Amino acid sequence: MNMEIFKLLPILFIFINPVWSITSNSATESFLQCFTSHIQNLKSSSKIILIKNSSAYASVVQSSIQNLRFLNTSISKPEAVIYPFHDSHVQAAVICSKTNGILIRIRSGGHDYEGQSYISRAPFVIIDLSNLRSIDVDIENESAWVESGATLGELYYRIAEKSKAYGFPAGSCPTVGVGGLISGGGFGTLFRKYGLAADNVLDAKIVDVNGRVLDRKSMGEELFWAIRGGGGSSFGVIVAWKLRLVPVPPSVTVFSISKTTEQGATKLLSKWQNIADKFHEDLFLDTVIGVGDKAGTNGGKTIVIEFRSLFLGPVEKLLLLMQDNFPELSVARSDCTEMSWIESVLYFASISINESEALLNRTQQSKSFFKAKSDYVNEPISEAGLEGLWQNLIEVGAYLILTPYGGKMSEISNSEIPFPHRSGNLFKIQYMVTWDDEKETEKHIGMMRKLYSYMAPYVSKSPRAAYLNYKDLDLGRNKDANTSYAQASIWGFSYFKNNFRRLAQVKTLVDPGNFFRDEQSIPVYPSRKK
Ligand SMILES: Cc1cc2nc3c(=O)[nH]c(=O)nc-3n(C[C@H](O)[C@H](O)[C@H](O)COP(=O)(O)OP(=O)(O)OC[C@H]3O[C@@H](n4cnc5c(N)ncnc54)[C@H](O)[C@@H]3O)c2cc1C
Ligand SMILES: *[C@@H]1O[C@H](CO)[C@@H](O)[C@H](O)[C@H]1NC(C)=O
Ligand SMILES: *[C@@H]1O[C@H](CO)[C@@H](O)[C@H](O)[C@H]1NC(C)=O
Ligand SMILES: *[C@@H]1O[C@H](CO)[C@@H](O)[C@H](O)[C@H]1NC(C)=O
Ligand SMILES: *[C@@H]1O[C@H](CO)[C@@H](O)[C@H](O)[C@H]1NC(C)=O
Ligand SMILES: *[C@@H]1O[C@H](CO)[C@@H](O)[C@H](O)[C@H]1NC(C)=O
Ligand SMILES: *[C@@H]1O[C@H](CO)[C@@H](O)[C@H](O)[C@H]1NC(C)=O
């Protein structure tokens, strides 16, 4: 299909479907009536709900949008935003939206790459969990109950506040929400040693399609399996997680070394591809590949590769490991800094390591327009392949983050939780392009798609795998939130491989009416009956 027309479809759809706006008004009224009647203390209801006609509405809805692509005025906005302070508010929101035929969007940190926590084409309300964010750390039992609206920064801060001997294996960006990250997997600098955030969930509390609050025991092992990597938004509103804390040593060592292709970066990356997944699990060494200015030229561009490391131990041990495994990188003692684990969290978030309070700041450092994609790599990419990639990167102005797998990730079976990308993967690629001018949106998205097709021969195939938390609505090119199983299989197998079928079975069990749905939610399993 012609790409240009394709992208206009969702917007046209809104205009040619006036039924929605008519039903919307009365449905919204009944929803609001239902919701307020469920709220016990009516005085507090003004803080719990933000209605489309209120004066603060526009600014609040806008300020919470993380990807500027979705600030676009032609994108339809929610009928209301609910800010629950209590599980019962979530229950009321689910019951009242279901009975009135209004969709919900569930938002924890709002970092969804495709805006799926705050955009819908049918009339909808947002359940924004930012007030449900208490964190209860229990060092004695090496666990923590964390409400979904908490950010990773808040979680790390509260753990370190109680004990410097523990951490949690989740993502690097402190403003990402616990709700979205864990329900989609969640990796970070500790994942080669301890697995994903979702691998370290002990219990959870969820509001289901009938408005019941369930824990692990009452939801059952199938649903508990599904929400640890299968994406929360298909199954219910997860209000809290019980997490297993993991031990971290008193000091860890970090380094960051950048090389241009003129300085031999391509050869270094070729070597890195062969060894990074085989390193000791205490060593995490990822690479960020971007475009930089070429020295001695006027406006010429080159590729810069940054090798970044977190080692769970002292500098001497790291230097020995690097000498034995990767002498070509010539890591010197002066490149390395020893610090506490919580300081390394700040370091990887590009925050100065003495500013730990900044972890409590829920506002993202900067916002831009962006489009991202992901791939998994099972065999090293040839140097010729890399050279072609560099040309594409310079053309597109994109950057890549290559995350090494192996270690603990290879020890966990593909079906332990819905996240299927385990042994056999050398590394994951994240492609990212950002821009500041709305007029350039189509151009950048088009170039990103071209870069992605260039990479097809070098990455996983049948299915071409992708990471759910780097959501990409190009996969399957599905634009209907009420998707069929066959259509959904296209992206379903990319994100979940063979776990997709079981996810659809769980979906059929817990939400047969497909109330919890968005453009890439798990569909109900096709019925065998004619
Ligand atoms: C700057 C940045 C850095 C990132 N770094 C990492 C990283 O280091 N590691 C990593 O693994 N990922 C990373 N991600 C990806 C991130 O994990 C996903 O975008 C994740 O979905 C964000 O969670 P959220 O709660 O902030 O997002 P939201 O937009 O609130 O939610 C994302 C999705 O989950 C659903 N959801 C959210 N909360 C709930 C809930 N309580 N119950 C049910 N469904 C829910 C939403 O409906 C939506 O579909 C990063 C993203 C960004 C933007
Ligand atoms: C907004 O809508 C609500 C519910 O329909 C109504 O009660 C309220 O008076 C309206 N407020 C304004 C400022 O129009
Ligand atoms: C919104 O998106 C449409 C379609 O991509 C585009 O034509 C328009 O310029 C964008 N901006 C605004 C402010 O609506
Ligand atoms: C730790 O867990 C055990 C068993 O689950 C429980 O009996 C005990 O009360 C918990 N300790 C604390 C401090 O909560
Ligand atoms: C952290 O260190 C920087 C300089 O290294 C200094 O400017 C800043 O004030 C310090 N912040 C705190 C909170 O101490
Ligand atoms: C939080 O971070 C934002 C973005 O970096 C910044 O503008 C704001 O001043 C910070 N707030 C506080 C209280 O430090
Ligand atoms: C969406 O799917 C559900 C369940 O399959 C069905 O009951 C409903 O009618 C569908 N809605 C639309 C608008 O197609």
Side-chain angles (χ1 to χ4, degrees):
M1 190 191 301
N2 179 316
M3 207 91 96
E4 298 303 312
I5 291 173
F6 178 75
K7 267 176 288 174
L8 285 172
L9 270 180
I11 293 149
L12 290 175
F13 204 27
I14 292 161
F15 293 132
I16 61 177
N17 227 328
V19 183
W20 276 349
S21 47
I22 294 163
T23 50
S24 140
N25 289 336
S26 57
T28 304
E29 288 299 319
S30 332
F31 168 81
L32 293 174
Q33 256 168 31
C34 171
F35 185 73
T36 37
S37 75
H38 272 78
I39 302 300
Q40 257 113 46
N41 181 357
L42 273 176
K43 265 191 244 148
S44 65
S45 73
S46 63
K47 279 185 247 151
I48 303 172
I49 185 161
L50 185 70
I51 302 169
K52 208 169 189 171
N53 64 0
S54 71
S55 53
Y57 174 86
S59 64
V60 171
V61 168
Q62 276 179 21
S63 69
S64 54
I65 288 177
Q66 305 287 343
N67 186 343
L68 297 182
R69 265 166 67 206
F70 306 117
L71 206 54
N72 193 317
T73 46
S74 59
I75 290 175
S76 57
K77 300 292 185 287
E79 300 298 308
V81 187
I82 315 283
Y83 296 92
F85 284 90
H86 189 270
D87 294 353
S88 65
H89 304 157
V90 178
Q91 296 175 277
V94 168
I95 290 167
C96 296
S97 48
K98 191 179 155 210
T99 47
N100 289 292
I102 288 194
L103 280 187
I104 58 164
R105 285 291 173 265
I106 311 162
R107 180 164 69 194
S108 290
H111 284 59
D112 191 273
Y113 277 13
E114 298 278 15
Q116 290 298 296
S117 55
Y118 52 86
I119 293 177
S120 165
R121 281 174 294 123
F124 70 111
V125 297
I126 295 176
I127 302 179
D128 182 305
L129 298 168
S130 52
N131 289 324
L132 277 181
R133 63 169 198 271
S134 72
I135 298 172
D136 192 0
V137 176
D138 179 354
I139 293 298
E140 199 185 319
N141 273 352
E142 304 185 317
S143 65
W145 268 107
V146 184
E147 285 184 319
S148 288
T151 62
L152 296 181
E154 290 169 331
L155 172 61
Y156 298 147
Y157 184 94
R158 296 298 168 208
I159 296 171
E161 189 180 49
K162 283 270 175 79
S163 166
K164 295 279 186 286
Y166 289 93
F168 185 70
S172 307
C173 172
T175 54
V176 165
V178 162
L181 178 119
I182 299 181
S183 59
F187 77 95
T189 54
L190 296 178
F191 93 131
R192 297 192 67 251
K193 187 172 177 84
Y194 295 116
L196 304 168
D199 291 323
N200 291 280
V201 173
L202 300 169
D203 202 340
K205 253 184 358 172
I206 186 170
V207 173
D208 79 350
V209 67
N210 299 314
R212 295 174 301 185
V213 182
L214 307 173
D215 65 3
R216 177 173 183 168
K217 196 155 171 244
S218 50
M219 81 176 82
E221 286 302 306
E222 281 305 291
L223 180 53
F224 184 63
W225 175 83
I227 58 175
R228 289 173 293 155
S233 62
S234 302
F235 300 102
V237 184
I238 298 140
V239 284
W241 304 96
K242 185 182 185 184
L243 308 176
R244 180 195 297 119
L245 304 182
V246 301
V248 291
S251 72
V252 305
T253 307
V254 303
F255 70 72
S256 160
I257 294 176
S258 292
K259 300 279 184 196
T260 63
T261 39
E262 290 72 33
Q263 295 167 326
T266 308
K267 284 245 154 19
L268 288 173
L269 193 77
S270 288
K271 174 85 190 249
W272 177 91
Q273 293 188 86
N274 286 289
I275 56 176
D277 69 302
K278 296 168 196 76
F279 282 142
H280 189 276
E281 61 185 18
D282 284 345
L283 177 59
F284 173 84
L285 176 57
D286 75 352
T287 63
V288 183
I289 306 179
V291 180
D293 293 323
K294 189 167 178 174
T297 65
N298 191 5
K301 295 290 174 199
T302 187
I303 291 294
V304 185
I305 304 185
E306 183 188 2
F307 294 85
R308 305 185 302 186
S309 172
L310 173 72
F311 176 63
L312 298 170
V315 63
E316 290 76 20
K317 229 174 136 187
L318 172 60
L319 288 173
L320 283 175
L321 267 173
M322 294 309 293
Q323 192 51 50
D324 287 349
N325 296 290
F326 201 4
E328 299 86 347
L329 191 59
S330 316
V331 180
R333 180 174 253 282
S334 58
D335 296 317
C336 301
T337 314
E338 278 188 2
M339 54 180 66
S340 66
W341 174 75
I342 191 69
E343 286 171 330
S344 79
V345 167
L346 291 152
Y347 175 86
F348 276 93
S350 308
I351 300 171
S352 123
I353 62 168
N354 60 348
E355 312 244 341
S356 64
E357 302 285 320
L359 292 176
L360 302 177
N361 187 339
R362 295 172 63 92
T363 310
Q364 218 182 312
Q365 277 172 30
S366 65
K367 288 183 187 178
S368 58
F369 296 83
F370 70 86
K371 174 67 194 167
K373 289 178 174 293
S374 61
D375 259 322
Y376 281 87
V377 177
N378 311 131
E379 282 169 34
I381 302 168
S382 65
E383 278 192 30
L386 292 177
E387 297 294 348
L389 173 57
W390 302 161
Q391 274 169 25
N392 270 277
L393 281 183
I394 289 174
E395 212 175 296
V396 178
Y399 67 92
L400 313 178
I401 301 178
L402 273 48
T403 303
Y405 271 55
K408 177 82 178 176
M409 286 302 284
S410 294
E411 291 164 19
I412 300 174
S413 104
N414 291 356
S415 57
E416 181 71 27
I417 62 171
F419 179 99
H421 317 292
R422 304 285 185 172
S423 89
N425 289 294
L426 301 180
F427 56 93
K428 180 188 74 211
I429 303 178
Q430 169 169 221
Y431 308 84
M432 173 68 79
V433 63
T434 65
W435 61 98
D436 297 317
D437 182 355
E438 166 142 49
K439 288 193 225 67
E440 295 188 345
T441 296
E442 309 275 303
K443 181 183 98 184
H444 289 288
I445 292 181
M447 288 188 348
M448 175 57 95
R449 288 177 182 152
K450 201 181 134 222
L451 171 61
Y452 186 71
S453 50
Y454 167 80
M455 288 300 285
Y458 305 106
V459 299
S460 65
K461 294 168 194 69
S462 317
R464 184 171 181 179
Y467 177 33
L468 175 68
N469 272 349
Y470 294 160
K471 201 168 290 159
D472 179 5
L473 294 189
D474 287 349
L475 296 173
R477 297 283 164 104
N478 164 51
K479 294 289 169 191
D480 183 353
N482 218 11
T483 172
S484 75
Y485 181 83
Q487 220 179 347
S489 298
I490 302 172
W491 47 261
F493 281 92
S494 290
Y495 290 142
F496 308 112
K497 297 191 180 170
N498 289 332
N499 295 329
F500 179 61
R501 281 189 207 91
R502 183 167 165 199
L503 282 169
Q505 281 158 355
V506 180
K507 172 75 178 179
T508 311
L509 204 64
V510 303
D511 182 21
N514 200 19
F515 169 67
F516 292 107
R517 64 180 187 269
D518 58 33
E519 298 200 19
Q520 284 186 344
S521 55
I522 304 294
V524 295
Y525 206 73
S527 159
R528 254 162 264 240
K529 280 174 251 149
K530 284 262 165 74

